[in-house]
Amino acid sequence: MFLWGILMPLIGIGVGVILQWTKLPLAPVDWMTLSLLAAIDLLINANYHYQALGWLIVVIASIGILTALGLAWNQGEILYRRFFKLWWRLLFFPSLIVYIVLISVHFI
């Protein structure tokens, strides 16, 4: 389980680089965000024997609500394309931090 948690973001970035050359307009960071979320669930399950998928969904929804409120406050409107792209890119940073913390906690 722990090995899959470590390899999942590498697989995600690899898939993102390969699919960047196709007609999909997604950056490798977008695929890495998805793989980081899956890796976080695997690492929490491996380290603490706890299924964290429900908490991940709550955090993802909370970041989405805050992003929508921020866009509505600053621009007065919510354009869905801009919202989803900003939300997904903002989700990358907390997931990367949690992933690094979980890897370091495992080795301490």
Side-chain angles (χ1 to χ4, degrees), residues 4-62:
W4 275 110
I6 291 176
L7 292 178
M8 192 73 77
L10 298 175
I11 294 169
I13 198 79
V15 168
V17 167
I18 291 170
L19 290 178
Q20 188 178 13
W21 294 323
T22 63
K23 294 181 181 182
L24 292 173
L26 297 174
V29 173
D30 298 331
W31 289 98
M32 190 172 176
T33 304
L34 182 63
S35 62
L36 278 173
L37 292 172
I40 287 170
D41 187 43
L42 287 174
L43 288 174
I44 289 175
N45 193 9
N47 288 342
Y48 303 111
H49 304 291
Y50 180 74
Q51 216 45 28
L53 188 61
W55 288 107
L56 284 174
I57 291 172
V58 169
V59 168
I60 291 169
S62 299

Short mmCIF file of all heavy atoms in Angstrom, two decimals, residues 4-62:
data_model
loop_
_atom_site.label_atom_id
_atom_site.label_comp_id
_atom_site.label_asym_id
_atom_site.label_seq_id
_atom_site.Cartn_x
_atom_site.Cartn_y
_atom_site.Cartn_z
N TRP A 4 2.48 1.91 -3.39
CA TRP A 4 1.54 2.49 -4.35
C TRP A 4 1.29 3.96 -4.05
O TRP A 4 1.11 4.77 -4.95
CB TRP A 4 0.20 1.74 -4.32
CG TRP A 4 0.20 0.55 -5.19
CD1 TRP A 4 0.19 -0.74 -4.79
CD2 TRP A 4 0.23 0.52 -6.62
NE1 TRP A 4 0.22 -1.57 -5.88
CE2 TRP A 4 0.24 -0.82 -7.01
CE3 TRP A 4 0.26 1.50 -7.60
CZ2 TRP A 4 0.26 -1.20 -8.34
CZ3 TRP A 4 0.28 1.12 -8.92
CH2 TRP A 4 0.28 -0.22 -9.28
N GLY A 5 1.28 4.32 -2.77
CA GLY A 5 1.10 5.72 -2.40
C GLY A 5 2.25 6.59 -2.85
O GLY A 5 2.06 7.75 -3.19
N ILE A 6 3.45 6.03 -2.86
CA ILE A 6 4.60 6.79 -3.33
C ILE A 6 4.62 6.88 -4.85
O ILE A 6 4.94 7.91 -5.44
CB ILE A 6 5.91 6.17 -2.80
CG1 ILE A 6 5.99 6.38 -1.29
CG2 ILE A 6 7.12 6.77 -3.47
CD1 ILE A 6 7.17 5.73 -0.65
N LEU A 7 4.27 5.79 -5.52
CA LEU A 7 4.35 5.75 -6.98
C LEU A 7 3.18 6.44 -7.69
O LEU A 7 3.30 6.80 -8.86
CB LEU A 7 4.42 4.29 -7.45
CG LEU A 7 5.69 3.54 -7.11
CD1 LEU A 7 5.59 2.11 -7.58
CD2 LEU A 7 6.90 4.23 -7.70
N MET A 8 2.06 6.64 -7.00
CA MET A 8 0.86 7.19 -7.64
C MET A 8 1.09 8.58 -8.25
O MET A 8 0.71 8.80 -9.41
CB MET A 8 -0.29 7.24 -6.64
CG MET A 8 -1.61 7.52 -7.27
SD MET A 8 -2.25 6.13 -8.18
CE MET A 8 -2.84 5.10 -6.88
N PRO A 9 1.73 9.55 -7.57
CA PRO A 9 1.97 10.85 -8.23
C PRO A 9 2.92 10.76 -9.41
O PRO A 9 2.78 11.51 -10.38
CB PRO A 9 2.57 11.71 -7.12
CG PRO A 9 2.09 11.10 -5.87
CD PRO A 9 2.02 9.63 -6.14
N LEU A 10 3.88 9.85 -9.36
CA LEU A 10 4.78 9.68 -10.50
C LEU A 10 4.03 9.15 -11.71
O LEU A 10 4.27 9.57 -12.85
CB LEU A 10 5.92 8.75 -10.12
CG LEU A 10 6.83 9.24 -8.98
CD1 LEU A 10 7.85 8.16 -8.63
CD2 LEU A 10 7.49 10.53 -9.36
N ILE A 11 3.12 8.23 -11.47
CA ILE A 11 2.28 7.71 -12.56
C ILE A 11 1.39 8.82 -13.11
O ILE A 11 1.22 8.96 -14.32
CB ILE A 11 1.45 6.50 -12.07
CG1 ILE A 11 2.36 5.33 -11.73
CG2 ILE A 11 0.41 6.10 -13.10
CD1 ILE A 11 1.68 4.19 -11.01
N GLY A 12 0.84 9.64 -12.21
CA GLY A 12 -0.03 10.75 -12.64
C GLY A 12 0.70 11.76 -13.49
O GLY A 12 0.18 12.24 -14.49
N ILE A 13 1.92 12.12 -13.10
CA ILE A 13 2.68 13.09 -13.88
C ILE A 13 3.09 12.48 -15.22
O ILE A 13 3.12 13.16 -16.24
CB ILE A 13 3.88 13.65 -13.09
CG1 ILE A 13 4.39 14.96 -13.71
CG2 ILE A 13 5.03 12.69 -13.04
CD1 ILE A 13 3.61 16.13 -13.36
N GLY A 14 3.37 11.19 -15.23
CA GLY A 14 3.70 10.51 -16.49
C GLY A 14 2.53 10.49 -17.44
O GLY A 14 2.68 10.76 -18.64
N VAL A 15 1.35 10.17 -16.94
CA VAL A 15 0.14 10.18 -17.77
C VAL A 15 -0.14 11.59 -18.26
O VAL A 15 -0.51 11.80 -19.42
CB VAL A 15 -1.06 9.62 -16.97
CG1 VAL A 15 -2.37 9.88 -17.68
CG2 VAL A 15 -0.89 8.14 -16.73
N GLY A 16 0.09 12.59 -17.40
CA GLY A 16 -0.13 13.97 -17.81
C GLY A 16 0.80 14.42 -18.91
O GLY A 16 0.39 15.12 -19.83
N VAL A 17 2.06 14.00 -18.84
CA VAL A 17 3.02 14.37 -19.89
C VAL A 17 2.66 13.69 -21.21
O VAL A 17 2.72 14.31 -22.27
CB VAL A 17 4.45 14.00 -19.44
CG1 VAL A 17 5.42 14.07 -20.60
CG2 VAL A 17 4.90 14.93 -18.32
N ILE A 18 2.26 12.43 -21.13
CA ILE A 18 1.88 11.72 -22.35
C ILE A 18 0.62 12.33 -22.97
O ILE A 18 0.54 12.56 -24.18
CB ILE A 18 1.68 10.22 -22.06
CG1 ILE A 18 3.02 9.57 -21.74
CG2 ILE A 18 1.00 9.51 -23.22
CD1 ILE A 18 2.91 8.16 -21.20
N LEU A 19 -0.38 12.64 -22.14
CA LEU A 19 -1.63 13.18 -22.66
C LEU A 19 -1.54 14.65 -23.04
O LEU A 19 -2.43 15.18 -23.70
CB LEU A 19 -2.76 12.98 -21.64
CG LEU A 19 -3.21 11.54 -21.45
CD1 LEU A 19 -4.29 11.47 -20.40
CD2 LEU A 19 -3.70 10.95 -22.76
N GLN A 20 -0.47 15.32 -22.65
CA GLN A 20 -0.30 16.72 -23.04
C GLN A 20 -0.07 16.84 -24.54
O GLN A 20 -0.42 17.85 -25.14
CB GLN A 20 0.86 17.33 -22.27
CG GLN A 20 1.00 18.81 -22.44
CD GLN A 20 2.14 19.37 -21.61
OE1 GLN A 20 2.97 18.63 -21.10
NE2 GLN A 20 2.19 20.68 -21.49
N TRP A 21 0.49 15.83 -25.13
CA TRP A 21 0.75 15.86 -26.58
C TRP A 21 -0.47 15.47 -27.40
O TRP A 21 -0.45 15.54 -28.61
CB TRP A 21 1.90 14.94 -26.92
CG TRP A 21 3.20 15.42 -26.34
CD1 TRP A 21 3.62 16.71 -26.21
CD2 TRP A 21 4.23 14.62 -25.80
NE1 TRP A 21 4.84 16.76 -25.63
CE2 TRP A 21 5.26 15.49 -25.36
CE3 TRP A 21 4.42 13.26 -25.63
CZ2 TRP A 21 6.42 15.04 -24.78
CZ3 TRP A 21 5.59 12.81 -25.05
CH2 TRP A 21 6.56 13.70 -24.63
N THR A 22 -1.55 15.06 -26.75
CA THR A 22 -2.79 14.75 -27.46
C THR A 22 -3.65 16.00 -27.51
O THR A 22 -3.21 17.10 -27.23
CB THR A 22 -3.53 13.60 -26.75
OG1 THR A 22 -3.91 14.04 -25.44
CG2 THR A 22 -2.67 12.36 -26.66
N LYS A 23 -4.91 15.82 -27.85
CA LYS A 23 -5.81 16.96 -28.00
C LYS A 23 -6.45 17.40 -26.68
O LYS A 23 -7.23 18.34 -26.67
CB LYS A 23 -6.91 16.63 -29.01
CG LYS A 23 -6.36 16.44 -30.40
CD LYS A 23 -7.43 16.15 -31.39
CE LYS A 23 -6.81 15.95 -32.77
NZ LYS A 23 -7.80 15.72 -33.78
N LEU A 24 -6.14 16.72 -25.59
CA LEU A 24 -6.68 17.12 -24.29
C LEU A 24 -5.92 18.34 -23.78
O LEU A 24 -4.70 18.33 -23.70
CB LEU A 24 -6.57 15.99 -23.27
CG LEU A 24 -7.43 14.77 -23.51
CD1 LEU A 24 -7.09 13.68 -22.53
CD2 LEU A 24 -8.89 15.14 -23.40
N PRO A 25 -6.62 19.41 -23.40
CA PRO A 25 -5.92 20.64 -22.99
C PRO A 25 -5.55 20.65 -21.50
O PRO A 25 -5.52 21.70 -20.88
CB PRO A 25 -6.96 21.72 -23.29
CG PRO A 25 -8.27 21.05 -23.08
CD PRO A 25 -8.06 19.62 -23.53
N LEU A 26 -5.29 19.52 -20.92
CA LEU A 26 -4.96 19.45 -19.50
C LEU A 26 -3.45 19.40 -19.30
O LEU A 26 -2.74 18.71 -20.02
CB LEU A 26 -5.60 18.22 -18.85
CG LEU A 26 -7.12 18.18 -18.86
CD1 LEU A 26 -7.61 16.86 -18.34
CD2 LEU A 26 -7.68 19.31 -18.03
N ALA A 27 -3.00 20.12 -18.31
CA ALA A 27 -1.58 20.13 -17.99
C ALA A 27 -1.24 18.92 -17.11
O ALA A 27 -2.12 18.34 -16.48
CB ALA A 27 -1.23 21.42 -17.26
N PRO A 28 0.03 18.54 -17.06
CA PRO A 28 0.41 17.42 -16.18
C PRO A 28 0.10 17.68 -14.70
O PRO A 28 -0.13 16.75 -13.95
CB PRO A 28 1.92 17.32 -16.39
CG PRO A 28 2.16 17.86 -17.75
CD PRO A 28 1.13 18.94 -17.92
N VAL A 29 0.04 18.95 -14.30
CA VAL A 29 -0.31 19.28 -12.92
C VAL A 29 -1.74 18.82 -12.60
O VAL A 29 -2.03 18.38 -11.49
CB VAL A 29 -0.16 20.79 -12.67
CG1 VAL A 29 -0.66 21.19 -11.31
CG2 VAL A 29 1.27 21.20 -12.87
N ASP A 30 -2.64 18.90 -13.58
CA ASP A 30 -4.01 18.47 -13.36
C ASP A 30 -4.08 16.97 -13.08
O ASP A 30 -4.83 16.52 -12.21
CB ASP A 30 -4.87 18.82 -14.57
CG ASP A 30 -4.94 20.32 -14.81
OD1 ASP A 30 -4.83 21.07 -13.82
OD2 ASP A 30 -5.09 20.73 -15.97
N TRP A 31 -3.31 16.19 -13.81
CA TRP A 31 -3.29 14.75 -13.58
C TRP A 31 -2.58 14.42 -12.28
O TRP A 31 -2.94 13.47 -11.60
CB TRP A 31 -2.63 14.02 -14.75
CG TRP A 31 -3.48 14.05 -15.96
CD1 TRP A 31 -3.38 14.92 -17.00
CD2 TRP A 31 -4.61 13.22 -16.23
NE1 TRP A 31 -4.37 14.66 -17.91
CE2 TRP A 31 -5.12 13.63 -17.47
CE3 TRP A 31 -5.22 12.18 -15.56
CZ2 TRP A 31 -6.23 13.02 -18.04
CZ3 TRP A 31 -6.31 11.57 -16.13
CH2 TRP A 31 -6.82 12.00 -17.35
N MET A 32 -1.58 15.21 -11.94
CA MET A 32 -0.87 14.96 -10.69
C MET A 32 -1.76 15.27 -9.48
O MET A 32 -1.66 14.60 -8.46
CB MET A 32 0.41 15.78 -10.62
CG MET A 32 1.29 15.38 -9.47
SD MET A 32 2.86 16.19 -9.57
CE MET A 32 3.59 15.62 -8.06
N THR A 33 -2.64 16.25 -9.60
CA THR A 33 -3.57 16.54 -8.51
C THR A 33 -4.47 15.35 -8.23
O THR A 33 -4.66 14.96 -7.08
CB THR A 33 -4.43 17.77 -8.84
OG1 THR A 33 -3.58 18.87 -9.12
CG2 THR A 33 -5.36 18.12 -7.71
N LEU A 34 -4.99 14.76 -9.28
CA LEU A 34 -5.84 13.58 -9.12
C LEU A 34 -5.06 12.42 -8.49
O LEU A 34 -5.55 11.74 -7.58
CB LEU A 34 -6.41 13.17 -10.47
CG LEU A 34 -7.36 11.98 -10.48
CD1 LEU A 34 -8.59 12.29 -9.65
CD2 LEU A 34 -7.72 11.62 -11.89
N SER A 35 -3.85 12.21 -8.95
CA SER A 35 -3.06 11.11 -8.40
C SER A 35 -2.59 11.41 -6.98
O SER A 35 -2.44 10.49 -6.17
CB SER A 35 -1.87 10.80 -9.30
OG SER A 35 -1.02 11.92 -9.38
N LEU A 36 -2.38 12.67 -6.64
CA LEU A 36 -2.03 13.03 -5.26
C LEU A 36 -3.18 12.74 -4.31
O LEU A 36 -2.97 12.25 -3.19
CB LEU A 36 -1.63 14.50 -5.15
CG LEU A 36 -0.21 14.87 -5.53
CD1 LEU A 36 -0.05 16.38 -5.53
CD2 LEU A 36 0.78 14.23 -4.60
N LEU A 37 -4.40 13.03 -4.73
CA LEU A 37 -5.55 12.74 -3.89
C LEU A 37 -5.71 11.24 -3.65
O LEU A 37 -6.01 10.80 -2.54
CB LEU A 37 -6.82 13.34 -4.50
CG LEU A 37 -6.88 14.86 -4.52
CD1 LEU A 37 -8.08 15.33 -5.31
CD2 LEU A 37 -6.91 15.40 -3.11
N ALA A 38 -5.50 10.45 -4.69
CA ALA A 38 -5.56 9.00 -4.53
C ALA A 38 -4.42 8.51 -3.64
O ALA A 38 -4.61 7.62 -2.80
CB ALA A 38 -5.51 8.32 -5.89
N ALA A 39 -3.24 9.09 -3.80
CA ALA A 39 -2.09 8.68 -2.98
C ALA A 39 -2.28 9.06 -1.52
O ALA A 39 -1.86 8.32 -0.63
CB ALA A 39 -0.82 9.32 -3.53
N ILE A 40 -2.90 10.20 -1.26
CA ILE A 40 -3.17 10.60 0.12
C ILE A 40 -4.07 9.58 0.80
O ILE A 40 -3.84 9.17 1.95
CB ILE A 40 -3.77 12.02 0.17
CG1 ILE A 40 -2.71 13.05 -0.14
CG2 ILE A 40 -4.41 12.31 1.52
CD1 ILE A 40 -3.26 14.44 -0.35
N ASP A 41 -5.10 9.14 0.09
CA ASP A 41 -5.99 8.13 0.67
C ASP A 41 -5.24 6.83 0.93
O ASP A 41 -5.41 6.20 1.98
CB ASP A 41 -7.17 7.89 -0.27
CG ASP A 41 -8.20 6.97 0.35
OD1 ASP A 41 -8.50 7.15 1.55
OD2 ASP A 41 -8.70 6.09 -0.36
N LEU A 42 -4.38 6.42 0.00
CA LEU A 42 -3.60 5.19 0.21
C LEU A 42 -2.62 5.33 1.35
O LEU A 42 -2.44 4.39 2.15
CB LEU A 42 -2.86 4.83 -1.08
CG LEU A 42 -3.69 4.27 -2.22
CD1 LEU A 42 -2.84 4.10 -3.45
CD2 LEU A 42 -4.34 2.97 -1.83
N LEU A 43 -1.96 6.48 1.47
CA LEU A 43 -0.97 6.66 2.54
C LEU A 43 -1.62 6.74 3.92
O LEU A 43 -1.08 6.22 4.89
CB LEU A 43 -0.14 7.92 2.28
CG LEU A 43 0.86 7.82 1.14
CD1 LEU A 43 1.51 9.15 0.89
CD2 LEU A 43 1.90 6.76 1.43
N ILE A 44 -2.77 7.38 4.01
CA ILE A 44 -3.48 7.42 5.29
C ILE A 44 -3.93 6.02 5.67
O ILE A 44 -3.85 5.62 6.84
CB ILE A 44 -4.65 8.41 5.24
CG1 ILE A 44 -4.12 9.84 5.20
CG2 ILE A 44 -5.58 8.23 6.44
CD1 ILE A 44 -5.18 10.90 5.03
N ASN A 45 -4.38 5.26 4.69
CA ASN A 45 -4.79 3.88 4.96
C ASN A 45 -3.59 3.04 5.36
O ASN A 45 -3.68 2.19 6.25
CB ASN A 45 -5.48 3.28 3.73
CG ASN A 45 -6.19 2.00 4.05
OD1 ASN A 45 -6.32 1.62 5.20
ND2 ASN A 45 -6.66 1.34 3.01
N ALA A 46 -2.43 3.24 4.75
CA ALA A 46 -1.24 2.46 5.08
C ALA A 46 -0.66 2.86 6.43
O ALA A 46 -0.22 2.00 7.19
CB ALA A 46 -0.18 2.63 3.99
N ASN A 47 -0.65 4.15 6.75
CA ASN A 47 -0.05 4.62 7.99
C ASN A 47 -0.95 4.43 9.20
O ASN A 47 -0.50 4.03 10.26
CB ASN A 47 0.35 6.09 7.89
CG ASN A 47 1.54 6.31 7.00
OD1 ASN A 47 2.29 5.39 6.71
ND2 ASN A 47 1.71 7.52 6.54
N TYR A 48 -2.22 4.76 9.05
CA TYR A 48 -3.12 4.82 10.20
C TYR A 48 -4.26 3.81 10.16
O TYR A 48 -5.09 3.80 11.06
CB TYR A 48 -3.70 6.23 10.33
CG TYR A 48 -2.64 7.28 10.45
CD1 TYR A 48 -2.41 8.18 9.42
CD2 TYR A 48 -1.85 7.37 11.58
CE1 TYR A 48 -1.43 9.15 9.53
CE2 TYR A 48 -0.86 8.33 11.70
CZ TYR A 48 -0.66 9.21 10.67
OH TYR A 48 0.32 10.16 10.77
N HIS A 49 -4.36 3.02 9.10
CA HIS A 49 -5.44 2.04 8.92
C HIS A 49 -6.81 2.72 9.05
O HIS A 49 -7.70 2.25 9.75
CB HIS A 49 -5.31 0.88 9.91
CG HIS A 49 -3.99 0.21 9.83
ND1 HIS A 49 -3.62 -0.54 8.73
CD2 HIS A 49 -2.93 0.19 10.67
CE1 HIS A 49 -2.41 -1.01 8.92
NE2 HIS A 49 -1.96 -0.58 10.09
N TYR A 50 -6.93 3.84 8.38
CA TYR A 50 -8.14 4.65 8.42
C TYR A 50 -8.49 5.06 7.00
O TYR A 50 -7.63 5.51 6.24
CB TYR A 50 -7.88 5.89 9.29
CG TYR A 50 -9.06 6.81 9.42
CD1 TYR A 50 -10.15 6.48 10.21
CD2 TYR A 50 -9.09 8.03 8.75
CE1 TYR A 50 -11.23 7.31 10.32
CE2 TYR A 50 -10.16 8.88 8.86
CZ TYR A 50 -11.23 8.52 9.65
OH TYR A 50 -12.29 9.35 9.76
N GLN A 51 -9.74 4.92 6.63
CA GLN A 51 -10.19 5.30 5.30
C GLN A 51 -10.54 6.78 5.32
O GLN A 51 -11.46 7.19 6.01
CB GLN A 51 -11.41 4.46 4.96
CG GLN A 51 -11.61 4.02 3.57
CD GLN A 51 -10.43 3.47 2.82
OE1 GLN A 51 -9.50 2.91 3.37
NE2 GLN A 51 -10.49 3.62 1.54
N ALA A 52 -9.82 7.60 4.59
CA ALA A 52 -9.98 9.05 4.64
C ALA A 52 -10.71 9.63 3.44
O ALA A 52 -10.69 10.84 3.24
CB ALA A 52 -8.62 9.70 4.78
N LEU A 53 -11.35 8.82 2.65
CA LEU A 53 -11.99 9.30 1.44
C LEU A 53 -13.11 10.30 1.75
O LEU A 53 -13.27 11.30 1.07
CB LEU A 53 -12.53 8.13 0.62
CG LEU A 53 -13.07 8.46 -0.76
CD1 LEU A 53 -11.96 9.05 -1.61
CD2 LEU A 53 -13.62 7.22 -1.40
N GLY A 54 -13.86 10.05 2.80
CA GLY A 54 -14.93 10.97 3.18
C GLY A 54 -14.40 12.34 3.57
O GLY A 54 -14.96 13.38 3.17
N TRP A 55 -13.31 12.37 4.33
CA TRP A 55 -12.71 13.64 4.72
C TRP A 55 -12.11 14.36 3.52
O TRP A 55 -12.15 15.59 3.43
CB TRP A 55 -11.65 13.44 5.80
CG TRP A 55 -12.24 13.10 7.12
CD1 TRP A 55 -12.23 11.89 7.73
CD2 TRP A 55 -12.98 13.97 7.97
NE1 TRP A 55 -12.89 11.95 8.91
CE2 TRP A 55 -13.36 13.22 9.10
CE3 TRP A 55 -13.34 15.31 7.90
CZ2 TRP A 55 -14.10 13.77 10.13
CZ3 TRP A 55 -14.07 15.85 8.94
CH2 TRP A 55 -14.44 15.09 10.03
N LEU A 56 -11.55 13.60 2.59
CA LEU A 56 -11.01 14.22 1.38
C LEU A 56 -12.11 14.89 0.57
O LEU A 56 -11.92 15.99 0.04
CB LEU A 56 -10.29 13.19 0.52
CG LEU A 56 -8.91 12.76 1.00
CD1 LEU A 56 -8.39 11.64 0.13
CD2 LEU A 56 -7.96 13.92 1.00
N ILE A 57 -13.26 14.26 0.49
CA ILE A 57 -14.39 14.84 -0.24
C ILE A 57 -14.87 16.12 0.43
O ILE A 57 -15.18 17.11 -0.23
CB ILE A 57 -15.52 13.80 -0.39
CG1 ILE A 57 -15.07 12.69 -1.35
CG2 ILE A 57 -16.81 14.44 -0.89
CD1 ILE A 57 -16.00 11.52 -1.43
N VAL A 58 -14.89 16.12 1.76
CA VAL A 58 -15.29 17.33 2.50
C VAL A 58 -14.30 18.47 2.25
O VAL A 58 -14.70 19.63 2.03
CB VAL A 58 -15.43 17.03 4.01
CG1 VAL A 58 -15.56 18.29 4.82
CG2 VAL A 58 -16.61 16.12 4.26
N VAL A 59 -13.02 18.17 2.27
CA VAL A 59 -12.00 19.20 2.03
C VAL A 59 -12.08 19.72 0.59
O VAL A 59 -12.00 20.93 0.35
CB VAL A 59 -10.59 18.65 2.33
CG1 VAL A 59 -9.51 19.57 1.84
CG2 VAL A 59 -10.45 18.40 3.82
N ILE A 60 -12.27 18.83 -0.37
CA ILE A 60 -12.40 19.23 -1.77
C ILE A 60 -13.62 20.13 -1.96
O ILE A 60 -13.54 21.16 -2.63
CB ILE A 60 -12.48 17.99 -2.68
CG1 ILE A 60 -11.14 17.26 -2.70
CG2 ILE A 60 -12.91 18.36 -4.08
CD1 ILE A 60 -11.21 15.90 -3.35
N ALA A 61 -14.74 19.77 -1.34
CA ALA A 61 -15.94 20.60 -1.46
C ALA A 61 -15.75 21.95 -0.78
O ALA A 61 -16.21 22.98 -1.29
CB ALA A 61 -17.14 19.86 -0.86
N SER A 62 -15.08 21.97 0.36
CA SER A 62 -14.85 23.23 1.07
C SER A 62 -13.97 24.18 0.25
O SER A 62 -14.24 25.38 0.18
CB SER A 62 -14.18 22.97 2.42
OG SER A 62 -15.01 22.17 3.22
#
